[in-house]
Amino acid sequence: MSSLEIIFIIVALATLFSALRVVTTPNIVHAALWLVGALFGVAVIFALLNASFLAVVQVVIYIGAIAILMIFAIMLTRRSMDDSGPQVNANWWLAALLGLILFAGLATIVLKSGTTDIGLPVFTDNGAFLAQLGEQLVSPNAYVLPFELASVLLLAVLIGAIVVARKK
Amino acid sequence: MSDPITLISDWFEKLLLGWGLADNLVSLIDSFLGALIIASLGMATVIVLIWVERKIAGRLQDRFGPNRAGPYGLFQSIADIIKIFTKELITPEGADKVPFNLAPIMMVASVLLIWAVIPFSSTVFGVDISVGVLYIIAVGSFGVLAVLMAGWSSNNKFALLGAFRGVALLVSYEIPMVLALLIPVLMSRNLDVTWIVKMQQPWFILIAPGAALIFLIASMAEVGRAPFDLTEAESEIVAGYHTEYSGIKFGMFYVGEFLHVFTVGALIATFFLGGWRGPWAETYPVLGLFYFYLKTFLGYFVVTWIRLSLPRIRIDQMLSFCWKFLTPLILVLLIVTAVLDKGLFMIDPSFQLGKSGAWVYSLVMLAANLIVSWLTVQILRRQSNENGRQEFEPRPVAVAPKPTEN
């Protein structure tokens, strides 16, 4: 077992544990903090795979923006220190089912690939890769349509937020 | 002789290899030692910085500053450190222990992590990753998290209010800061910090002064110092998010703040003042180290100077300054820079940095920056004249009631 594999196993276990705590901890702010831990674990796994761009973007977007806004919203809307309401609502079985289906699907794909020992993907991360990614995002032959769709969606959300927040 | 730091590190690696250690173990030890040296250098710098800042504050306020302990009061910070270590650590009742204790560590770590990618000279840097600029932004977000955790876990209303203000400040000013960083990225065509420094011929502050100024303002706000110190406004919310911290835990926030100011100086030096660039810096990398620290201290001095000269601004002024002035201005600057960059390239492919037409590029960019900034100030001035100052009828509250006749 190489040192990289040992690190991967430790990080993966920590990520899984954090993810489990997100749904089991009674205090909602603690859940959000555990979520930060889980997201950071995913970023570390990206870094281990040499995908430094994805790792950094994971931290910027998921921890720096989404998790912070979530914690901020929780703290603004609740009496946070002694908040420990019910952990599940009526839809918990649906969420569990979806989670199981997703897990089954991923497991099938991995098992169907024949071998579980596929090794690390060869992924050289340099400036050229980033430039390529940028060009692909705006190239009409590649991802310009999904990219623009996402932009339009974000713009709509922005306008929606302004309309909701505006004084009547 | 021109590069003693690389020399020492090579010698050390050879020594370890000579002892029969495995190759990757040696590189592991090397990286750990490097990280340790950079981190403790940062912490040690703070000791000097506190003294420097108090001296500057003293001079600007027409007094001496520390002058008792040691020559010129140099040992004052050391005495303060010993004192802060001996103080009692108090955890308030009802505090959430783990986040409460984790927050000061994260605060310092979020700043120290930035130093990993900053090039000190052409040969001395922590790591050279291809996404250095994004990395700097990413680790900054841990500071926001630390502020939130500290404020919330203290179980104190003032701390929570301070944390809310702090997060509003940090999240808002992150936007102009990141957008201002995009301009050096755009000009050097790379996210790699060492590469951005290499491309700075001329320094980016000369060809993008608007971006440099906005980056300075936004990163001062990120530090949360005067005039943006409403997160810890003493007259309103005691001490903000670190109200409940005592002893060395408070010391960590203090160190984090000082280190952050110094880091802002280093970032300004790296992105806009040419980093280690200077006469003969490429042939003698030691000189690069010297230039880098000189520029960093220059940035540090400017930030301290502004801090000591300006009064605190209100929270509504703070937010409208960010969203109605800095963000639109930097967006326009970014678009103008991008369009001009592409346009110049289409006119003549040599019109870009590092090619023969670099001077044309620089002049056009400087002119564009100045015109956009001037137009913005004109528009703002006209608007403020149109709106005018709102004046209300005086509504005296504490007036004696008229004597009634009966």
Side-chain angles (χ1 to χ4, degrees):
Chain A
M1 200 185 278
S2 75
S3 56
L4 211 60
E5 279 171 346
I6 298 172
I7 297 175
F8 170 76
I9 288 172
I10 294 171
V11 173
L13 283 179
T15 310
L16 281 179
F17 178 72
S18 308
L20 193 69
R21 290 296 289 164
V22 174
V23 285
T24 54
T25 185
N27 189 320
I28 192 161
V29 177
H30 283 179
L33 291 177
W34 279 114
L35 182 66
V36 171
L39 294 170
F40 187 67
V42 175
V44 175
I45 291 175
F46 279 138
L48 283 178
L49 290 172
N50 242 345
S52 54
F53 178 71
L54 283 181
V56 171
V57 164
Q58 167 92 7
V59 174
V60 171
I61 293 176
Y62 283 95
I63 298 180
I66 292 179
I68 302 258
L69 282 183
M70 258 161 87
I71 298 175
F72 203 47
I74 292 167
M75 287 182 184
L76 275 176
T77 50
R78 303 196 174 218
R79 281 199 324 215
S80 44
M81 277 317 268
D82 46 56
D83 179 54
S84 47
Q87 274 162 262
V88 290
N89 62 14
N91 290 330
W92 69 271
W93 57 273
L94 201 64
L97 192 71
L98 278 177
L100 266 181
I101 291 172
L102 187 64
F103 180 73
L106 285 175
T108 330
I109 290 171
V110 171
L111 290 176
K112 248 195 170 169
S113 69
T115 168
T116 50
D117 184 29
I118 38 180
L120 288 177
V122 182
F123 194 87
T124 46
D125 189 8
N126 47 28
F129 160 73
L130 261 182
Q132 213 181 359
L133 179 71
E135 272 164 21
Q136 294 281 309
L137 276 181
V138 289
S139 141
N141 300 325
Y143 302 108
V144 73
L145 197 62
F147 182 72
E148 288 301 326
L149 271 180
S151 322
V152 171
L153 177 71
L154 283 176
L155 187 67
V157 171
L158 214 71
I159 295 170
I162 293 171
V163 169
V164 170
R166 202 174 52 176
K167 275 184 197 147
K168 292 278 162 12
Chain B
M1 243 8 257
S2 62
D3 191 8
I5 295 173
T6 317
L7 210 70
I8 293 172
S9 121
D10 283 349
W11 168 81
F12 185 70
E13 262 180 44
K14 277 202 190 103
L15 183 76
L16 287 183
L17 284 172
W19 287 350
L21 293 180
D23 213 12
N24 49 6
L25 190 66
V26 170
S27 67
L28 186 76
I29 293 175
D30 232 31
S31 354
F32 264 105
L33 268 182
L36 186 75
I37 289 171
I38 289 181
S40 30
L41 203 71
M43 300 292 251
T45 316
V46 172
I47 301 175
V48 186
L49 285 184
I50 293 174
W51 176 81
V52 170
E53 173 135 359
R54 291 181 65 181
K55 272 293 188 199
I56 296 174
R59 292 297 167 182
L60 289 178
Q61 294 164 354
D62 201 13
R63 54 188 175 82
F64 284 118
N67 63 352
R68 297 283 142 170
Y72 305 105
L74 261 173
F75 299 143
Q76 185 65 48
S77 313
I78 298 182
D80 286 344
I81 288 167
I82 294 169
K83 185 192 75 172
I84 212 165
F85 266 110
T86 58
K87 281 191 171 180
E88 188 188 356
L89 294 174
I90 299 167
T91 307
E93 201 158 306
D96 201 337
K97 295 240 168 42
V98 178
F100 186 78
N101 292 323
L102 209 58
I105 300 168
M106 273 181 72
M107 196 74 188
V108 177
S110 76
V111 182
L112 271 182
L113 280 173
I114 293 178
W115 286 89
V117 293
I118 289 181
F120 295 94
S121 80
S122 56
T123 53
V124 183
F125 45 79
V127 280
D128 183 13
I129 51 175
S130 58
V131 287
V133 178
L134 267 177
Y135 170 87
I136 289 172
I137 297 158
V139 294
S141 61
F142 289 111
V144 187
L145 202 59
V147 169
L148 264 181
M149 275 161 65
W152 173 76
S153 64
S154 298
N155 192 21
N156 178 321
K157 285 194 182 69
F158 295 118
L160 195 58
L161 278 175
F164 283 156
R165 287 185 179 192
V167 174
L169 179 84
L170 295 175
V171 170
S172 313
Y173 278 83
E174 208 172 356
I175 294 161
M177 193 187 81
V178 171
L179 289 174
L181 275 186
L182 275 183
I183 286 180
V185 169
L186 205 148
M187 286 177 165
S188 60
R189 290 175 168 64
N190 217 312
L191 279 172
D192 189 333
V193 183
T194 52
W195 191 259
I196 289 178
V197 174
K198 272 183 204 140
M199 288 294 281
Q200 290 197 41
Q201 287 165 321
W203 298 356
F204 284 160
I205 194 171
L206 296 177
I207 56 177
L213 195 64
I214 288 172
F215 181 75
L216 173 73
I217 296 170
S219 43
M220 279 188 65
E222 288 281 307
V223 178
R225 283 196 140 185
F228 298 100
D229 63 343
L230 52 139
T231 55
E232 38 194 273
E234 302 88 354
S235 50
E236 298 157 28
I237 47 174
V238 193
Y241 56 88
H242 55 64
T243 301
E244 293 287 356
Y245 285 88
S246 65
I248 193 61
K249 284 185 205 161
F250 166 74
M252 294 290 266
F253 281 111
Y254 199 67
V255 165
E257 189 192 309
F258 270 85
L259 200 59
H260 202 162
V261 181
F262 193 61
T263 311
V264 165
L267 289 180
I268 290 169
T270 309
F271 287 116
F272 293 103
L273 296 180
W276 46 263
R277 287 199 156 277
W280 302 294
E282 268 177 282
T283 34
Y284 302 102
V286 185
L287 269 180
L289 202 66
F290 170 72
Y291 292 135
F292 173 76
Y293 267 100
L294 198 70
K295 289 168 184 171
T296 304
F297 264 102
L298 184 72
Y300 177 78
F301 177 73
V302 170
V303 174
T304 312
W305 185 12
I306 295 171
R307 177 209 174 192
L308 292 161
S309 313
L310 290 181
R312 180 185 301 144
I313 59 173
R314 282 199 322 261
I315 188 156
D316 59 320
Q317 293 170 332
M318 177 273 276
L319 284 174
S320 61
F321 179 59
C322 174
W323 290 105
K324 293 180 186 166
F325 177 63
L326 287 184
T327 311
L329 175 58
I330 191 67
L331 274 173
V332 171
L333 272 177
L334 187 64
I335 293 168
V336 168
T337 310
V339 168
L340 281 179
D341 186 282
K342 211 70 187 166
L344 281 174
F345 182 76
M346 281 163 93
I347 292 169
D348 187 340
S350 75
F351 285 164
Q352 52 176 315
L353 289 181
K355 296 264 175 71
S356 56
W359 61 276
V360 180
Y361 183 91
S362 311
L363 280 182
V364 171
M365 286 299 174
L366 177 64
N369 258 274
L370 293 180
I371 290 170
V372 169
S373 309
W374 183 76
L375 276 180
T376 316
V377 173
Q378 289 305 315
I379 291 170
L380 279 178
R381 185 173 288 161
R382 177 170 301 165
Q383 268 200 344
S384 73
N385 284 345
E386 273 171 15
N387 295 342
R389 285 179 72 88
Q390 282 194 324
E391 285 187 22
F392 295 99
E393 285 293 302
R395 284 190 307 172
V397 190
V399 181
K402 277 179 188 164
T404 49
E405 291 170 34
N406 48 344

Coordinates of all heavy atoms in Angstrom, one line a residue, chain A residues 4-64:
Chain A
L4 N 0.2 7.3 -0.7 CA -0.9 8.0 -1.3 C -2.2 7.3 -0.9 O -3.2 7.9 -0.6 CB -0.7 8.1 -2.8 CG -1.3 9.4 -3.4 CD1 -0.7 10.6 -2.8 CD2 -1.1 9.3 -4.9
E5 N -2.2 6.0 -1.0 CA -3.4 5.2 -0.7 C -3.8 5.3 0.7 O -5.0 5.4 1.1 CB -3.2 3.7 -1.1 CG -3.4 3.5 -2.6 CD -2.9 2.1 -2.9 OE1 -2.3 1.4 -2.1 OE2 -3.3 1.6 -4.1
I6 N -2.8 5.3 1.6 CA -3.1 5.5 3.1 C -3.8 6.8 3.3 O -4.8 6.9 4.0 CB -1.8 5.4 3.9 CG1 -1.2 4.0 3.7 CG2 -2.1 5.6 5.3 CD1 0.2 3.8 4.3
I7 N -3.2 7.9 2.7 CA -3.8 9.2 2.9 C -5.2 9.2 2.3 O -6.1 9.7 2.9 CB -2.9 10.3 2.2 CG1 -1.5 10.3 2.8 CG2 -3.6 11.6 2.2 CD1 -0.6 11.2 2.1
F8 N -5.4 8.6 1.1 CA -6.7 8.5 0.5 C -7.7 7.9 1.5 O -8.8 8.4 1.7 CB -6.7 7.8 -0.8 CG -8.1 7.5 -1.3 CD1 -8.8 8.6 -1.9 CD2 -8.6 6.3 -1.2 CE1 -10.1 8.3 -2.4 CE2 -9.9 6.0 -1.7 CZ -10.6 7.1 -2.3
I9 N -7.3 6.7 2.1 CA -8.3 6.0 2.9 C -8.6 6.9 4.2 O -9.8 7.0 4.5 CB -7.7 4.7 3.3 CG1 -7.7 3.7 2.1 CG2 -8.5 4.0 4.5 CD1 -6.9 2.5 2.3
I10 N -7.6 7.5 4.7 CA -7.9 8.4 5.9 C -8.9 9.5 5.5 O -9.9 9.7 6.2 CB -6.6 8.9 6.5 CG1 -5.7 7.8 7.0 CG2 -6.8 10.0 7.6 CD1 -4.3 8.3 7.4
V11 N -8.5 10.2 4.4 CA -9.4 11.3 4.0 C -10.8 10.8 3.7 O -11.8 11.5 4.1 CB -8.7 12.0 2.8 CG1 -9.7 13.1 2.3 CG2 -7.4 12.7 3.2
A12 N -10.9 9.7 3.0 CA -12.2 9.2 2.6 C -13.0 8.8 3.8 O -14.2 9.2 3.9 CB -12.1 8.0 1.7
L13 N -12.4 8.2 4.8 CA -13.1 7.9 6.0 C -13.6 9.1 6.8 O -14.7 9.2 7.2 CB -12.2 7.0 7.0 CG -12.1 5.5 6.5 CD1 -11.2 4.8 7.5 CD2 -13.5 4.9 6.5
A14 N -12.7 10.1 6.8 CA -13.1 11.4 7.5 C -14.2 12.0 6.8 O -15.2 12.5 7.4 CB -11.9 12.3 7.6
T15 N -14.2 12.0 5.4 CA -15.3 12.6 4.7 C -16.6 11.9 4.9 O -17.6 12.5 5.2 CB -14.9 12.5 3.2 OG1 -13.6 13.0 3.0 CG2 -15.9 13.3 2.4
L16 N -16.5 10.6 4.9 CA -17.8 9.8 5.1 C -18.3 10.1 6.5 O -19.5 10.2 6.7 CB -17.5 8.3 5.0 CG -17.4 7.8 3.5 CD1 -17.1 6.3 3.5 CD2 -18.8 8.1 2.8
F17 N -17.4 10.1 7.5 CA -17.8 10.3 8.9 C -18.5 11.7 9.0 O -19.6 11.9 9.6 CB -16.6 10.3 9.8 CG -17.0 10.5 11.3 CD1 -17.7 9.6 12.0 CD2 -16.6 11.7 11.9 CE1 -18.0 9.9 13.3 CE2 -16.9 12.0 13.2 CZ -17.6 11.0 13.9
S18 N -17.9 12.7 8.4 CA -18.5 14.1 8.4 C -19.8 14.1 7.8 O -20.8 14.7 8.3 CB -17.6 15.1 7.7 OG -16.3 15.0 8.2
A19 N -19.9 13.4 6.6 CA -21.2 13.4 5.9 C -22.3 12.7 6.8 O -23.4 13.1 6.8 CB -21.0 12.6 4.6
L20 N -21.9 11.6 7.5 CA -22.8 11.0 8.4 C -23.3 11.9 9.5 O -24.5 12.0 9.8 CB -22.2 9.7 9.0 CG -23.1 8.7 9.6 CD1 -24.0 8.1 8.6 CD2 -22.3 7.7 10.4
R21 N -22.3 12.6 10.1 CA -22.7 13.5 11.1 C -23.6 14.7 10.7 O -24.4 15.2 11.5 CB -21.4 14.2 11.7 CG -20.5 13.2 12.5 CD -21.2 12.7 13.7 NE -21.3 13.7 14.8 CZ -22.1 13.6 15.8 NH1 -22.9 12.5 15.9 NH2 -22.2 14.5 16.7
V22 N -23.5 15.0 9.4 CA -24.4 16.1 8.9 C -25.8 15.7 9.1 O -26.6 16.5 9.5 CB -24.1 16.3 7.4 CG1 -25.1 17.3 6.8 CG2 -22.7 16.9 7.2
V23 N -26.1 14.4 8.9 CA -27.6 14.0 9.0 C -27.9 13.5 10.4 O -29.1 13.4 10.7 CB -27.9 13.0 7.9 CG1 -28.1 13.6 6.6 CG2 -26.9 11.9 7.9
T24 N -26.9 13.2 11.2 CA -27.3 12.7 12.5 C -27.2 13.7 13.6 O -27.8 13.5 14.7 CB -26.4 11.5 12.9 OG1 -25.0 11.9 12.8 CG2 -26.7 10.3 11.9
T25 N -26.4 14.8 13.5 CA -26.3 15.7 14.6 C -27.6 16.5 14.8 O -28.2 16.9 13.8 CB -25.1 16.6 14.4 OG1 -24.9 17.4 15.5 CG2 -25.2 17.5 13.2
P26 N -28.0 16.7 16.1 CA -29.3 17.3 16.3 C -29.2 18.9 16.1 O -30.2 19.5 15.7 CB -29.6 17.0 17.8 CG -28.3 16.7 18.4 CD -27.4 16.1 17.3
N27 N -28.0 19.5 16.3 CA -27.9 20.9 16.2 C -27.6 21.3 14.8 O -26.7 20.8 14.2 CB -26.7 21.4 17.1 CG -26.7 22.8 17.3 OD1 -26.9 23.6 16.3 ND2 -26.4 23.3 18.4
I28 N -28.5 22.2 14.3 CA -28.4 22.5 12.8 C -27.1 23.2 12.4 O -26.6 23.0 11.3 CB -29.6 23.2 12.3 CG1 -29.7 23.2 10.8 CG2 -29.7 24.6 12.9 CD1 -31.1 23.5 10.3
V29 N -26.6 24.1 13.3 CA -25.3 24.7 13.0 C -24.2 23.7 13.0 O -23.3 23.8 12.1 CB -25.0 25.9 14.0 CG1 -23.7 26.5 13.7 CG2 -26.1 26.9 13.9
H30 N -24.2 22.8 13.9 CA -23.2 21.7 13.9 C -23.3 21.0 12.6 O -22.3 20.6 12.0 CB -23.4 20.8 15.0 CG -22.9 21.3 16.3 ND1 -23.0 20.7 17.5 CD2 -22.3 22.5 16.6 CE1 -22.5 21.4 18.5 NE2 -22.1 22.5 17.9
A31 N -24.5 20.7 12.1 CA -24.7 20.0 10.8 C -24.0 20.8 9.7 O -23.3 20.2 8.9 CB -26.2 19.8 10.6
A32 N -24.2 22.1 9.7 CA -23.6 22.9 8.7 C -22.1 22.9 8.8 O -21.4 22.8 7.7 CB -24.1 24.3 8.8
L33 N -21.5 22.9 10.0 CA -20.1 22.8 10.2 C -19.5 21.5 9.7 O -18.5 21.4 9.1 CB -19.7 23.1 11.6 CG -19.9 24.6 12.0 CD1 -19.6 24.7 13.5 CD2 -19.1 25.5 11.2
W34 N -20.2 20.4 10.0 CA -19.8 19.1 9.5 C -19.9 19.0 8.0 O -19.0 18.4 7.4 CB -20.7 18.0 10.1 CG -20.3 17.6 11.5 CD1 -21.1 17.7 12.6 CD2 -19.1 16.9 11.9 NE1 -20.4 17.2 13.7 CE2 -19.2 16.7 13.3 CE3 -18.0 16.5 11.3 CZ2 -18.2 16.1 14.1 CZ3 -17.0 15.9 12.0 CH2 -17.1 15.7 13.4
L35 N -20.9 19.7 7.4 CA -20.9 19.7 6.0 C -19.7 20.4 5.4 O -19.1 19.9 4.4 CB -22.2 20.5 5.6 CG -22.4 20.6 4.1 CD1 -22.7 19.2 3.5 CD2 -23.6 21.5 3.8
V36 N -19.2 21.4 6.1 CA -18.0 22.1 5.6 C -16.8 21.0 5.6 O -16.0 20.9 4.7 CB -17.6 23.3 6.5 CG1 -16.2 23.8 6.2 CG2 -18.6 24.4 6.3
G37 N -16.8 20.2 6.7 CA -15.8 19.2 6.8 C -15.9 18.2 5.7 O -14.9 17.9 5.0
A38 N -17.1 17.8 5.4 CA -17.3 16.8 4.3 C -16.8 17.4 2.9 O -16.1 16.7 2.1 CB -18.7 16.3 4.2
L39 N -17.2 18.6 2.7 CA -16.9 19.3 1.4 C -15.4 19.4 1.3 O -14.8 19.3 0.2 CB -17.6 20.6 1.3 CG -19.1 20.6 1.2 CD1 -19.6 22.0 1.3 CD2 -19.5 20.0 -0.1
F40 N -14.7 19.8 2.4 CA -13.3 19.9 2.4 C -12.6 18.6 2.1 O -11.6 18.5 1.4 CB -12.8 20.5 3.7 CG -11.3 20.8 3.8 CD1 -10.9 21.9 3.0 CD2 -10.5 20.1 4.5 CE1 -9.5 22.2 2.9 CE2 -9.1 20.4 4.5 CZ -8.7 21.5 3.7
G41 N -13.2 17.5 2.7 CA -12.6 16.2 2.4 C -12.7 15.9 0.9 O -11.7 15.4 0.4
V42 N -13.8 16.2 0.3 CA -13.9 16.0 -1.2 C -12.8 16.8 -1.9 O -12.1 16.3 -2.8 CB -15.3 16.4 -1.7 CG1 -15.3 16.3 -3.2 CG2 -16.3 15.5 -1.1
A43 N -12.6 18.1 -1.4 CA -11.5 18.9 -2.0 C -10.2 18.2 -1.9 O -9.3 18.2 -2.8 CB -11.5 20.3 -1.4
V44 N -9.9 17.6 -0.7 CA -8.6 17.0 -0.5 C -8.5 15.8 -1.5 O -7.4 15.5 -2.0 CB -8.4 16.5 0.9 CG1 -7.2 15.7 1.1 CG2 -8.4 17.7 1.8
I45 N -9.6 15.1 -1.7 CA -9.5 13.9 -2.6 C -9.2 14.4 -4.0 O -8.4 13.8 -4.8 CB -10.8 13.1 -2.6 CG1 -10.9 12.4 -1.2 CG2 -10.9 12.1 -3.7 CD1 -12.2 11.7 -1.0
F46 N -9.8 15.5 -4.4 CA -9.5 16.1 -5.7 C -8.0 16.4 -5.8 O -7.3 16.2 -6.8 CB -10.3 17.4 -6.0 CG -11.7 17.2 -6.5 CD1 -12.7 18.0 -6.0 CD2 -11.9 16.2 -7.4 CE1 -14.0 17.8 -6.4 CE2 -13.2 16.0 -7.9 CZ -14.2 16.8 -7.4
A47 N -7.5 17.0 -4.7 CA -6.0 17.4 -4.7 C -5.2 16.2 -4.8 O -4.1 16.2 -5.5 CB -5.7 18.2 -3.4
L48 N -5.6 15.1 -4.1 CA -4.8 13.8 -4.2 C -4.8 13.3 -5.6 O -3.8 12.7 -6.0 CB -5.4 12.8 -3.3 CG -5.2 12.9 -1.8 CD1 -5.9 11.8 -1.0 CD2 -3.7 12.8 -1.5
L49 N -5.8 13.5 -6.4 CA -5.9 13.1 -7.8 C -5.2 14.0 -8.7 O -5.3 13.9 -9.9 CB -7.4 12.9 -8.2 CG -8.1 11.8 -7.5 CD1 -9.6 11.8 -7.9 CD2 -7.5 10.5 -8.0
N50 N -4.5 15.0 -8.2 CA -3.7 16.0 -9.0 C -4.6 17.0 -9.7 O -4.2 17.7 -10.6 CB -2.9 15.2 -10.1 CG -1.5 15.5 -9.8 OD1 -1.1 16.4 -9.1 ND2 -0.6 14.7 -10.4
A51 N -5.9 17.0 -9.3 CA -6.8 17.9 -10.0 C -6.9 19.2 -9.2 O -7.9 19.5 -8.5 CB -8.2 17.3 -10.2
S52 N -5.8 20.0 -9.2 CA -5.8 21.1 -8.2 C -6.8 22.2 -8.6 O -7.3 22.8 -7.6 CB -4.4 21.7 -8.2 OG -4.0 22.1 -9.5
F53 N -7.2 22.3 -9.8 CA -8.2 23.3 -10.2 C -9.5 23.0 -9.5 O -10.1 23.8 -8.9 CB -8.3 23.4 -11.7 CG -9.4 24.4 -12.1 CD1 -9.2 25.8 -12.0 CD2 -10.6 24.0 -12.7 CE1 -10.2 26.7 -12.3 CE2 -11.5 24.9 -13.0 CZ -11.3 26.2 -12.9
L54 N -9.9 21.7 -9.7 CA -11.2 21.3 -9.1 C -11.1 21.4 -7.6 O -12.1 21.8 -7.0 CB -11.5 19.8 -9.5 CG -12.0 19.6 -10.9 CD1 -12.3 18.2 -11.2 CD2 -13.2 20.4 -11.1
A55 N -10.0 21.0 -7.0 CA -9.9 21.1 -5.5 C -10.1 22.5 -5.0 O -10.9 22.8 -4.1 CB -8.5 20.6 -5.1
V56 N -9.4 23.5 -5.7 CA -9.5 24.9 -5.2 C -10.9 25.4 -5.5 O -11.5 26.1 -4.6 CB -8.4 25.7 -5.9 CG1 -8.6 27.1 -5.7 CG2 -7.1 25.3 -5.4
V57 N -11.5 25.1 -6.6 CA -12.8 25.6 -6.9 C -13.9 25.0 -6.0 O -14.8 25.6 -5.5 CB -13.2 25.2 -8.4 CG1 -14.7 25.4 -8.7 CG2 -12.4 26.2 -9.3
Q58 N -13.6 23.7 -5.6 CA -14.5 23.1 -4.6 C -14.5 23.9 -3.3 O -15.6 24.2 -2.7 CB -14.0 21.7 -4.3 CG -14.6 21.0 -3.1 CD -15.9 20.2 -3.4 OE1 -16.2 20.1 -4.6 NE2 -16.6 19.8 -2.4
V59 N -13.3 24.3 -2.9 CA -13.2 25.1 -1.6 C -13.9 26.5 -1.9 O -14.7 27.0 -1.0 CB -11.8 25.3 -1.2 CG1 -11.7 26.2 0.0 CG2 -11.2 23.9 -0.8
V60 N -13.6 27.1 -3.0 CA -14.1 28.5 -3.2 C -15.6 28.5 -3.2 O -16.3 29.3 -2.6 CB -13.5 29.1 -4.5 CG1 -14.2 30.4 -4.9 CG2 -12.1 29.3 -4.4
I61 N -16.2 27.6 -4.0 CA -17.6 27.6 -4.2 C -18.4 27.0 -3.1 O -19.2 27.6 -2.5 CB -18.0 27.0 -5.6 CG1 -17.4 27.8 -6.7 CG2 -19.5 26.9 -5.7 CD1 -17.6 27.2 -8.0
Y62 N -18.0 25.8 -2.7 CA -18.8 25.1 -1.7 C -18.6 25.5 -0.3 O -19.5 25.7 0.5 CB -18.6 23.6 -1.9 CG -19.4 23.0 -3.0 CD1 -18.7 22.9 -4.3 CD2 -20.7 22.8 -3.0 CE1 -19.4 22.4 -5.4 CE2 -21.4 22.3 -4.1 CZ -20.8 22.2 -5.3 OH -21.4 21.7 -6.4
I63 N -17.3 25.8 0.1 CA -17.1 26.3 1.4 C -17.2 27.8 1.5 O -17.9 28.3 2.3 CB -15.7 25.8 2.0 CG1 -15.7 24.3 2.0 CG2 -15.5 26.3 3.3 CD1 -14.4 23.7 2.4
G64 N -16.5 28.4 0.6 CA -16.4 29.9 0.6 C -17.8 30.6 0.4 O -18.0 31.6 0.9

